[in-house]
Amino acid sequence: QVQLVESGGGQVQPGGSLSVTCEVSGISLEYYNVAWFRQAAGEEREGVACIESPNPYTYYSNSVKGRFTINRAKGLNSAWMEMTNLKPEDTAVYYCAIASKGWYGNPWYDPRGYDYWGRGTQITVSA
């Protein structure tokens, strides 16, 4: 059974930093691309960042580029994302997702391209 578990969410003040981690079990992450999505209340799910496998090429949405960094470690079944200079508009539930290579022909930020999802972790940015 494949499971993705996110951790590291919480509340932070504007300008602060947080890290979120995705632990994967039941499958080898080596063959999957890993992404973070987020969904704010009343909004659609948005692709935030993605890192490929085996080459660690990364993708970011314009809204987080330069502030968020996604990473993975070879040999570990986990990935993480470091978030800096957080803004109130970053408030959302953050989900980890993994995808076979090619995302079934969808863009990396399209949720339809992902095979497995975590349950999410809440991040709230407020003073």
Side-chain angles (χ1 to χ4, degrees), residues 13-74:
Q13 292 187 343
S17 300
L18 275 177
S19 293
V20 287
T21 299
C22 178
E23 300 283 351
V24 180
S25 60
I27 203 166
S28 174
L29 201 53
E30 178 181 0
Y31 305 107
Y32 286 82
N33 302 328
V34 183
W36 287 94
F37 285 75
R38 68 186 182 187
Q39 189 165 18
E43 302 287 333
E44 292 188 352
R45 194 164 294 193
E46 171 193 17
V48 173
C50 180
I51 185 166
E52 288 190 7
S53 178
N55 69 79
Y57 194 80
T58 55
Y59 307 82
Y60 296 97
S61 67
N62 288 334
S63 59
V64 307
K65 196 173 295 182
R67 300 188 298 121
F68 290 13
T69 303
I70 189 171
N71 218 329
R72 65 193 300 168
K74 189 176 181 180

Side-chain angles (χ1 to χ4, degrees), residues 69-110:
T69 303
I70 189 171
N71 218 329
R72 65 193 300 168
K74 189 176 181 180
L76 293 179
N77 237 32
S78 62
W80 60 95
M81 184 168 67
E82 298 173 349
M83 302 172 287
T84 63
N85 191 21
L86 283 160
K87 304 175 181 181
E89 51 264 42
D90 294 318
T91 295
V93 178
Y94 282 72
Y95 299 91
C96 176
I98 61 174
S100 303
K101 297 176 186 179
W103 300 283
Y104 302 107
N106 296 293
W108 71 265
Y109 49 82
D110 190 330

